[in-house]
Amino acid sequence: MIVCLVLPTQRYLTEAVGGASTIDRIAGYVRSLEGVERVRVICGKDQASADLFALLPTDWDVHRCTDLQERSVLDAIIDACVGDDDDVIVAHADLPFLNVELTARLLDRHRTYRADYTFADGYPVGLAPEVVNRRVLAHLAGVCRPEPFVRQGLFPIVLRDINRIDVETELSATDQRLLRLVLAVDSMANLIVCRALADGAPDRIDEWDAHVARSAAQHRSRPRFVSIQTLEQEVHRTEYSPYPLMRTDVTAPGRVMSIDEYRRIIDELADFAPEAVVHLSMWGEIALHPDAVAMVKHVLNTDALSVLIETSGVGWSDAARSQLFAIDDQRMQVIVGIDTNDPELYRELRGVGLEEATGFAEQAIEHLATRAHVQAVRFDRSEPALDAFYRHWKERTDNVIIQKYDHFCGRLPQRRIGDLSPIERFPCWRLQRDLAILVDGTVPLCREDIGAGERLGNALVDGVAAVWNNGAERYRRHIGGEYDGLCAGCDEYYVFSF
């Protein structure tokens, strides 16, 4: 049996999780497995840290790839195999809680049913590896794409030709996917969650559901998605937007966050939540900000923050558009909200600018490729033309987003097409993961709190860490089943950003 550990990042691998580093925990996990003939660590060339590799067991093989693309990782796994009938255990190397009992169940199922590929489902990410037979690896390599090897591992590759692959699944007794837990030390936010779960972490896999339930309050560790309103001006008075309830004339110039104020927030965020996604701009067209590109670049100048630019595609100067599309960094993504290709409907929903918005989206797809997205909000007015919109853009990119309608806790009329809400209410993902900052630094309870009626403080006065921590009590009330105030009528609690 071969164990292949993919190492996407090494930033937190030596940090203590329950008294031992993740490297030590992984080494203990491998030692507990029976019949391991070889261990290979697969990393990118930029992960070639002599100090880190000195901590690995001396009999482990380290393979450095130019980058961790699907094909390079699969080639490294194939190269590690020694026989046609090898069972290969594949996992990321930043998972401190890989479970020996669950691995044994996977191997038993894999061998009993002579499967090509076996995985676990219903558990939090990070408890189970994948098991694949060497026979199928060459076939998977043939359907690979030049894409990064993602957290889901081999599963997305298997899905591309699943009818020709014998797949077995080990199911959890209780479905824990809804928790959205990633028990990896790939970010500060996840590291903190792992440290909280390390206290009393069970060896028995069937005890994990109760264990994670007891620590529910600790699942809210650091913000993952931070929306910042950089200015108060829009280019459109959009029919489904609540912004006119905040400002009578949304297209008139309003307050603007200065570049210095913005940098203060980003610099604090880089220390507090280093891997967060910064969303520009909430309630305001980022194209109209005089320092829009500089704001994007300041995020990318940090070690690990990412930036998501959400724009109508209207209002960009030629210079700013060229500078934006020249940015070659996978941490930057762009969403262009267009809603419809029908000129008359566009004028009714948004106003003028369809040709400009369409041109911006096409250029974004051309220059940014998979980092560009086109978006439509689905509601009663857009529904008749939505299929044509989807088919038109799907011919140009896979990244077509159909966003649900948001009535903002009853502030807008209910105009959704179908009810997507879960049968049973659960604690809000936005309260657990998101932070919203208005143009003057005010932090409302969440994005839905359009009047900032329940404020968590001011990021420019109190600091990012303080305003985030001020939201912990409301989240604890959600865990206890209390959905009062604004939360009582919310239809966004199950919407997941990043």
Side-chain angles (χ1 to χ4, degrees):
M1 184 172 66
I2 312 299
V3 177
C4 287
L5 303 169
V6 182
L7 177 61
T9 178
Q10 63 184 52
R11 186 170 185 176
Y12 302 110
L13 285 177
T14 58
E15 297 285 341
V17 177
S21 70
T22 296
I23 289 180
D24 291 337
R25 285 175 167 271
I26 288 283
Y29 163 79
V30 172
R31 285 195 299 270
S32 298
L33 301 177
E34 296 181 1
V36 175
E37 302 173 37
R38 186 175 186 182
V39 180
R40 166 163 284 192
V41 177
I42 303 168
C43 63
K45 287 190 179 297
D46 59 337
Q47 302 295 330
S49 167
D51 291 339
L52 174 65
F53 294 148
L55 300 175
L56 300 177
T58 56
D59 58 340
W60 287 14
D61 166 42
V62 176
H63 180 94
R64 297 180 177 89
C65 302
T66 302
D67 49 34
L68 294 181
Q69 297 291 321
E70 288 180 341
R71 180 66 196 227
S72 62
V73 170
L74 271 176
D75 286 344
I77 295 173
I78 293 170
D79 181 64
C81 297
V82 294
D84 290 340
D85 295 323
D86 281 336
D87 290 323
V88 184
I89 291 177
V90 180
H92 279 73
D94 55 1
L95 307 177
F97 300 121
L98 282 173
N99 187 273
V100 174
E101 181 186 5
L102 182 53
T103 303
R105 290 187 189 180
L106 289 171
L107 286 168
D108 181 64
R109 177 174 292 275
H110 185 78
R111 290 163 178 168
T112 299
Y113 297 103
R114 300 180 182 273
D116 295 321
Y117 168 79
T118 304
F119 72 107
D121 199 15
Y123 298 94
V125 174
L127 294 180
E130 301 169 282
V131 182
V132 61
N133 193 281
R134 189 187 188 280
R135 297 189 308 269
V136 80
L137 286 171
H139 177 70
L140 292 180
V143 298
C144 270
R145 297 174 182 170
E147 295 180 349
F149 190 79
V150 295
R151 175 62 64 190
Q152 293 82 359
L154 298 174
F155 187 67
I157 308 172
V158 170
L159 281 178
R160 292 173 198 151
D161 201 12
I162 195 166
N163 291 329
R164 296 183 60 185
I165 299 171
D166 185 4
V167 177
E168 286 292 330
T169 309
E170 179 70 25
L171 292 174
S172 171
T174 58
D175 191 348
Q176 301 164 66
R177 292 173 299 178
L178 196 62
L179 299 173
R180 297 273 186 172
L181 284 177
V182 178
L183 304 182
V185 294
D186 56 347
S187 68
M188 174 65 74
N190 283 338
L191 172 64
I192 292 171
V193 173
C194 286
R195 284 174 167 170
L197 287 171
D199 184 16
D203 293 328
R204 295 294 308 277
I205 189 60
D206 292 335
E207 297 174 5
W208 264 93
D209 57 343
H211 179 61
V212 297
R214 286 192 295 269
S215 64
Q218 280 71 49
H219 300 175
R220 185 185 190 273
S221 57
R222 296 289 167 87
R224 320 294 183 99
F225 188 74
V226 182
S227 295
I228 302 177
Q229 181 188 31
T230 60
L231 76 167
E232 290 185 319
Q233 185 180 7
E234 295 275 13
V235 295
H236 295 136
R237 185 183 176 91
T238 310
E239 183 173 325
Y240 53 78
S241 172
Y243 197 37
L245 299 177
M246 302 164 67
R247 294 186 73 229
T248 302
D249 188 355
V250 299
T251 60
R255 292 175 295 178
V256 177
M257 180 180 287
S258 72
I259 188 68
D260 290 337
E261 291 173 326
Y262 172 83
R263 284 171 175 160
R264 280 171 51 198
I265 292 172
I266 296 302
D267 291 346
E268 286 188 34
L269 188 63
D271 288 334
F272 184 63
E275 295 82 16
V277 177
V278 177
H279 171 229
L280 304 174
S281 169
M282 182 179 68
W283 316 135
E285 173 54 65
I286 185 63
L288 302 180
H289 198 290
D291 297 305
V293 176
M295 287 178 157
V296 173
K297 290 182 176 179
H298 189 70
V299 173
L300 299 177
N301 284 337
T302 65
D303 288 339
L305 289 176
S306 301
V307 61
L308 174 65
I309 302 147
E310 189 166 2
T311 175
S312 67
V314 177
W316 291 88
S317 68
D318 291 342
R321 185 168 56 248
S322 297
Q323 292 174 48
L324 182 70
F325 292 156
I327 295 175
D328 184 16
D329 193 316
Q330 293 300 314
R331 291 180 295 150
M332 183 190 82
Q333 298 190 60
V334 175
I335 295 177
V336 189
I338 300 178
D339 294 319
T340 181
N341 296 330
D342 184 317
E344 183 61 32
L345 182 57
Y346 187 89
R347 279 192 294 270
E348 294 174 8
L349 296 182
R350 287 181 168 269
V352 299
L354 175 58
E355 185 176 348
E356 183 180 350
T358 300
F360 183 93
E362 290 173 344
Q363 284 186 298
I365 293 168
E366 176 186 355
H367 293 282
L368 304 179
T370 58
R371 295 183 289 137
H373 310 257
V374 181
Q375 178 173 276
V377 173
R378 186 186 185 196
F379 68 119
D380 54 5
R381 292 284 286 111
S382 66
E383 180 71 7
L386 196 60
D387 183 62
F389 173 89
Y390 182 83
R391 285 188 283 106
H392 171 84
W393 288 105
K394 199 65 176 179
E395 293 176 357
R396 292 157 175 77
T397 177
D398 288 335
N399 298 336
V400 181
I401 301 171
I402 306 299
Q403 188 180 58
K404 70 174 283 293
Y405 175 78
D406 183 2
H407 61 64
F408 286 85
C409 303
R411 305 288 182 87
L412 297 180
Q414 180 58 274
R415 303 174 66 180
R416 68 190 180 193
I417 305 295
D419 185 357
L420 302 176
S421 58
I423 296 174
E424 295 184 7
R425 182 74 185 258
F426 54 80
C428 177
W429 279 333
R430 292 199 182 278
L431 285 183
Q432 184 197 97
R433 308 174 67 90
D434 297 2
L435 188 67
I437 302 174
L438 299 179
V439 67
D440 63 352
T442 297
V443 177
L445 176 66
C446 66
R447 177 179 175 271
E448 302 299 293
D449 187 8
I450 57 176
E454 187 171 341
R455 302 185 179 191
L456 302 181
N458 188 294
L460 293 170
V461 176
D462 308 309
V464 171
V467 294
W468 171 253
N469 291 333
N470 287 341
E473 176 55 32
R474 174 58 77 95
Y475 186 69
R476 280 193 288 268
R477 286 177 14 214
H478 273 216
I479 294 170
E482 298 180 38
Y483 306 109
D484 53 352
L486 192 70
C487 301
C490 181
D491 186 44
E492 287 283 301
Y493 67 90
Y494 57 90
V495 175
F496 186 84
S497 298
F498 280 84

Short mmCIF file of all heavy atoms in Angstrom, two decimals, residues 29-67:
data_model
loop_
_atom_site.label_atom_id
_atom_site.label_comp_id
_atom_site.label_asym_id
_atom_site.label_seq_id
_atom_site.Cartn_x
_atom_site.Cartn_y
_atom_site.Cartn_z
N TYR A 29 -0.42 9.14 12.14
CA TYR A 29 -1.49 8.50 11.37
C TYR A 29 -0.92 7.44 10.44
O TYR A 29 -1.41 6.30 10.39
CB TYR A 29 -2.24 9.57 10.59
CG TYR A 29 -3.08 9.06 9.45
CD1 TYR A 29 -4.34 8.51 9.67
CD2 TYR A 29 -2.64 9.15 8.12
CE1 TYR A 29 -5.12 8.05 8.62
CE2 TYR A 29 -3.41 8.70 7.07
CZ TYR A 29 -4.65 8.15 7.32
OH TYR A 29 -5.41 7.69 6.27
N VAL A 30 0.14 7.78 9.72
CA VAL A 30 0.74 6.83 8.77
C VAL A 30 1.30 5.61 9.51
O VAL A 30 1.14 4.46 9.07
CB VAL A 30 1.83 7.51 7.94
CG1 VAL A 30 2.59 6.50 7.09
CG2 VAL A 30 1.21 8.59 7.04
N ARG A 31 1.94 5.86 10.67
CA ARG A 31 2.50 4.74 11.44
C ARG A 31 1.41 3.78 11.92
O ARG A 31 1.66 2.59 12.10
CB ARG A 31 3.28 5.27 12.65
CG ARG A 31 4.63 5.89 12.31
CD ARG A 31 5.48 6.06 13.57
NE ARG A 31 4.84 6.95 14.54
CZ ARG A 31 5.01 8.27 14.59
NH1 ARG A 31 5.81 8.86 13.70
NH2 ARG A 31 4.40 9.00 15.50
N SER A 32 0.20 4.29 12.10
CA SER A 32 -0.90 3.46 12.60
C SER A 32 -1.54 2.60 11.52
O SER A 32 -2.32 1.69 11.83
CB SER A 32 -1.98 4.34 13.24
OG SER A 32 -1.45 5.05 14.35
N LEU A 33 -1.23 2.87 10.26
CA LEU A 33 -1.80 2.09 9.16
C LEU A 33 -0.97 0.83 8.93
O LEU A 33 0.25 0.85 9.04
CB LEU A 33 -1.82 2.94 7.87
CG LEU A 33 -2.62 4.24 7.93
CD1 LEU A 33 -2.49 4.99 6.60
CD2 LEU A 33 -4.08 3.98 8.24
N GLU A 34 -1.65 -0.24 8.60
CA GLU A 34 -0.96 -1.51 8.36
C GLU A 34 -0.61 -1.67 6.88
O GLU A 34 -1.41 -1.33 6.01
CB GLU A 34 -1.83 -2.68 8.81
CG GLU A 34 -2.12 -2.70 10.31
CD GLU A 34 -2.97 -3.90 10.72
OE1 GLU A 34 -3.30 -4.71 9.82
OE2 GLU A 34 -3.29 -4.03 11.90
N GLY A 35 0.58 -2.20 6.63
CA GLY A 35 0.95 -2.56 5.26
C GLY A 35 1.42 -1.41 4.39
O GLY A 35 1.38 -1.53 3.15
N VAL A 36 1.85 -0.31 4.99
CA VAL A 36 2.34 0.82 4.18
C VAL A 36 3.75 0.51 3.67
O VAL A 36 4.66 0.28 4.47
CB VAL A 36 2.34 2.12 4.99
CG1 VAL A 36 2.96 3.26 4.17
CG2 VAL A 36 0.93 2.49 5.42
N GLU A 37 3.92 0.48 2.36
CA GLU A 37 5.22 0.19 1.76
C GLU A 37 6.01 1.46 1.44
O GLU A 37 7.25 1.42 1.42
CB GLU A 37 5.03 -0.60 0.46
CG GLU A 37 4.29 -1.91 0.64
CD GLU A 37 3.98 -2.55 -0.70
OE1 GLU A 37 4.82 -2.46 -1.62
OE2 GLU A 37 2.89 -3.12 -0.84
N ARG A 38 5.30 2.55 1.16
CA ARG A 38 6.00 3.75 0.72
C ARG A 38 5.14 4.97 1.03
O ARG A 38 3.91 4.91 0.93
CB ARG A 38 6.28 3.68 -0.78
CG ARG A 38 7.14 4.83 -1.31
CD ARG A 38 7.45 4.60 -2.78
NE ARG A 38 8.37 5.59 -3.31
CZ ARG A 38 8.79 5.65 -4.56
NH1 ARG A 38 8.34 4.75 -5.44
NH2 ARG A 38 9.62 6.58 -4.96
N VAL A 39 5.78 6.07 1.42
CA VAL A 39 5.08 7.33 1.66
C VAL A 39 5.72 8.40 0.79
O VAL A 39 6.94 8.59 0.80
CB VAL A 39 5.15 7.76 3.14
CG1 VAL A 39 4.41 9.09 3.35
CG2 VAL A 39 4.58 6.68 4.05
N ARG A 40 4.90 9.07 0.00
CA ARG A 40 5.40 10.14 -0.87
C ARG A 40 4.69 11.44 -0.51
O ARG A 40 3.46 11.49 -0.42
CB ARG A 40 5.19 9.81 -2.33
CG ARG A 40 5.37 11.01 -3.27
CD ARG A 40 5.56 10.61 -4.70
NE ARG A 40 6.92 10.11 -4.91
CZ ARG A 40 7.43 9.90 -6.12
NH1 ARG A 40 6.71 10.11 -7.21
NH2 ARG A 40 8.66 9.44 -6.24
N VAL A 41 5.45 12.51 -0.32
CA VAL A 41 4.92 13.85 -0.11
C VAL A 41 5.07 14.61 -1.42
O VAL A 41 6.18 14.72 -1.96
CB VAL A 41 5.66 14.57 1.02
CG1 VAL A 41 5.14 16.00 1.17
CG2 VAL A 41 5.51 13.82 2.33
N ILE A 42 3.97 15.12 -1.95
CA ILE A 42 3.97 15.82 -3.23
C ILE A 42 3.75 17.30 -2.97
O ILE A 42 2.75 17.70 -2.37
CB ILE A 42 2.85 15.28 -4.15
CG1 ILE A 42 3.03 13.77 -4.34
CG2 ILE A 42 2.84 16.01 -5.49
CD1 ILE A 42 1.82 13.11 -4.98
N CYS A 43 4.69 18.13 -3.40
CA CYS A 43 4.60 19.57 -3.12
C CYS A 43 5.03 20.35 -4.35
O CYS A 43 5.63 19.81 -5.28
CB CYS A 43 5.47 19.95 -1.93
SG CYS A 43 7.23 19.66 -2.19
N GLY A 44 4.74 21.64 -4.35
CA GLY A 44 5.22 22.51 -5.40
C GLY A 44 6.66 22.89 -5.15
O GLY A 44 7.18 22.77 -4.04
N LYS A 45 7.33 23.37 -6.18
CA LYS A 45 8.73 23.76 -6.02
C LYS A 45 8.89 24.90 -5.03
O LYS A 45 9.92 25.02 -4.36
CB LYS A 45 9.33 24.14 -7.38
CG LYS A 45 9.58 22.94 -8.29
CD LYS A 45 10.38 23.34 -9.51
CE LYS A 45 10.66 22.13 -10.40
NZ LYS A 45 11.48 21.11 -9.74
N ASP A 46 7.85 25.76 -4.92
CA ASP A 46 7.94 26.86 -3.98
C ASP A 46 7.77 26.40 -2.54
O ASP A 46 7.94 27.18 -1.61
CB ASP A 46 6.91 27.93 -4.31
CG ASP A 46 5.49 27.38 -4.27
OD1 ASP A 46 5.34 26.16 -4.42
OD2 ASP A 46 4.57 28.18 -4.10
N GLN A 47 7.43 25.12 -2.33
CA GLN A 47 7.30 24.58 -0.98
C GLN A 47 8.57 23.85 -0.53
O GLN A 47 8.54 23.10 0.43
CB GLN A 47 6.11 23.62 -0.92
CG GLN A 47 4.79 24.25 -1.32
CD GLN A 47 4.35 25.33 -0.38
OE1 GLN A 47 4.66 25.30 0.79
NE2 GLN A 47 3.64 26.32 -0.90
N ALA A 48 9.67 24.05 -1.23
CA ALA A 48 10.89 23.29 -0.94
C ALA A 48 11.64 23.90 0.24
O ALA A 48 12.71 24.47 0.11
CB ALA A 48 11.79 23.26 -2.18
N SER A 49 11.05 23.79 1.41
CA SER A 49 11.65 24.31 2.63
C SER A 49 12.49 23.23 3.30
O SER A 49 11.97 22.21 3.75
CB SER A 49 10.58 24.81 3.59
OG SER A 49 11.11 25.05 4.86
N ALA A 50 13.77 23.47 3.39
CA ALA A 50 14.67 22.49 4.01
C ALA A 50 14.31 22.28 5.48
O ALA A 50 14.36 21.17 6.00
CB ALA A 50 16.12 22.94 3.87
N ASP A 51 13.90 23.37 6.16
CA ASP A 51 13.55 23.25 7.58
C ASP A 51 12.34 22.36 7.76
O ASP A 51 12.28 21.54 8.69
CB ASP A 51 13.27 24.64 8.16
CG ASP A 51 14.52 25.50 8.24
OD1 ASP A 51 15.63 24.92 8.23
OD2 ASP A 51 14.39 26.73 8.31
N LEU A 52 11.36 22.52 6.86
CA LEU A 52 10.16 21.70 6.97
C LEU A 52 10.46 20.24 6.67
O LEU A 52 10.07 19.34 7.42
CB LEU A 52 9.09 22.22 6.02
CG LEU A 52 7.82 21.36 5.93
CD1 LEU A 52 7.07 21.37 7.25
CD2 LEU A 52 6.92 21.86 4.81
N PHE A 53 11.16 19.98 5.59
CA PHE A 53 11.42 18.61 5.20
C PHE A 53 12.31 17.88 6.20
O PHE A 53 12.27 16.65 6.29
CB PHE A 53 12.04 18.57 3.80
CG PHE A 53 11.11 19.05 2.73
CD1 PHE A 53 11.59 19.71 1.62
CD2 PHE A 53 9.74 18.86 2.84
CE1 PHE A 53 10.73 20.16 0.64
CE2 PHE A 53 8.87 19.31 1.85
CZ PHE A 53 9.37 19.96 0.75
N ALA A 54 13.07 18.63 6.96
CA ALA A 54 13.89 18.01 8.00
C ALA A 54 13.03 17.41 9.10
O ALA A 54 13.50 16.53 9.84
CB ALA A 54 14.85 19.05 8.58
N LEU A 55 11.78 17.88 9.21
CA LEU A 55 10.88 17.37 10.22
C LEU A 55 10.15 16.10 9.78
O LEU A 55 9.53 15.42 10.60
CB LEU A 55 9.85 18.44 10.60
CG LEU A 55 10.42 19.75 11.15
CD1 LEU A 55 9.30 20.76 11.37
CD2 LEU A 55 11.17 19.51 12.45
N LEU A 56 10.19 15.79 8.49
CA LEU A 56 9.52 14.60 7.99
C LEU A 56 10.33 13.35 8.32
O LEU A 56 11.56 13.41 8.43
CB LEU A 56 9.34 14.70 6.47
CG LEU A 56 8.51 15.87 5.93
CD1 LEU A 56 8.51 15.86 4.41
CD2 LEU A 56 7.09 15.83 6.47
N PRO A 57 9.67 12.22 8.48
CA PRO A 57 10.42 10.96 8.66
C PRO A 57 11.41 10.77 7.52
O PRO A 57 11.10 11.06 6.35
CB PRO A 57 9.32 9.90 8.65
CG PRO A 57 8.11 10.62 9.16
CD PRO A 57 8.21 12.01 8.60
N THR A 58 12.58 10.26 7.82
CA THR A 58 13.66 10.17 6.82
C THR A 58 13.35 9.19 5.70
O THR A 58 13.93 9.30 4.61
CB THR A 58 14.96 9.75 7.51
OG1 THR A 58 14.75 8.52 8.22
CG2 THR A 58 15.42 10.83 8.49
N ASP A 59 12.43 8.25 5.92
CA ASP A 59 12.11 7.29 4.87
C ASP A 59 10.97 7.74 3.97
O ASP A 59 10.54 7.01 3.09
CB ASP A 59 11.79 5.92 5.48
CG ASP A 59 10.63 5.97 6.47
OD1 ASP A 59 10.33 7.07 6.98
OD2 ASP A 59 10.03 4.91 6.75
N TRP A 60 10.47 8.94 4.18
CA TRP A 60 9.44 9.49 3.30
C TRP A 60 10.09 10.10 2.07
O TRP A 60 11.13 10.77 2.16
CB TRP A 60 8.60 10.53 4.01
CG TRP A 60 7.64 9.96 5.03
CD1 TRP A 60 7.64 8.70 5.56
CD2 TRP A 60 6.55 10.65 5.65
NE1 TRP A 60 6.64 8.55 6.46
CE2 TRP A 60 5.93 9.74 6.55
CE3 TRP A 60 6.04 11.93 5.54
CZ2 TRP A 60 4.83 10.10 7.32
CZ3 TRP A 60 4.94 12.29 6.31
CH2 TRP A 60 4.34 11.37 7.19
N ASP A 61 9.47 9.90 0.94
CA ASP A 61 9.97 10.42 -0.32
C ASP A 61 9.29 11.75 -0.62
O ASP A 61 8.06 11.86 -0.55
CB ASP A 61 9.68 9.39 -1.43
CG ASP A 61 9.86 9.97 -2.82
OD1 ASP A 61 10.83 10.70 -3.04
OD2 ASP A 61 9.01 9.68 -3.69
N VAL A 62 10.07 12.77 -0.98
CA VAL A 62 9.51 14.09 -1.32
C VAL A 62 9.63 14.31 -2.82
O VAL A 62 10.72 14.19 -3.40
CB VAL A 62 10.25 15.21 -0.56
CG1 VAL A 62 9.72 16.58 -1.00
CG2 VAL A 62 10.06 15.04 0.95
N HIS A 63 8.52 14.61 -3.45
CA HIS A 63 8.49 14.87 -4.90
C HIS A 63 8.03 16.30 -5.12
O HIS A 63 6.94 16.69 -4.72
CB HIS A 63 7.54 13.90 -5.60
CG HIS A 63 7.46 14.11 -7.07
ND1 HIS A 63 8.25 13.41 -7.97
CD2 HIS A 63 6.70 14.95 -7.83
CE1 HIS A 63 7.97 13.80 -9.20
NE2 HIS A 63 7.04 14.74 -9.14
N ARG A 64 8.86 17.09 -5.81
CA ARG A 64 8.53 18.49 -6.07
C ARG A 64 8.01 18.64 -7.49
O ARG A 64 8.69 18.27 -8.45
CB ARG A 64 9.75 19.38 -5.86
CG ARG A 64 10.28 19.38 -4.42
CD ARG A 64 11.49 20.29 -4.30
NE ARG A 64 11.99 20.37 -2.94
CZ ARG A 64 12.90 19.54 -2.43
NH1 ARG A 64 13.39 18.56 -3.18
NH2 ARG A 64 13.29 19.68 -1.18
N CYS A 65 6.82 19.21 -7.63
CA CYS A 65 6.24 19.50 -8.94
C CYS A 65 6.46 20.98 -9.26
O CYS A 65 6.60 21.81 -8.37
CB CYS A 65 4.73 19.22 -8.94
SG CYS A 65 4.29 17.51 -8.49
N THR A 66 6.46 21.27 -10.55
CA THR A 66 6.55 22.67 -10.95
C THR A 66 5.40 23.46 -10.34
O THR A 66 5.56 24.56 -9.82
CB THR A 66 6.51 22.80 -12.49
OG1 THR A 66 7.60 22.05 -13.03
CG2 THR A 66 6.64 24.25 -12.92
N ASP A 67 4.20 22.91 -10.40
CA ASP A 67 3.03 23.44 -9.70
C ASP A 67 2.09 22.28 -9.44
O ASP A 67 2.20 21.22 -10.06
CB ASP A 67 2.34 24.57 -10.48
CG ASP A 67 2.09 24.20 -11.93
OD1 ASP A 67 1.84 23.01 -12.20
OD2 ASP A 67 2.15 25.09 -12.79
#
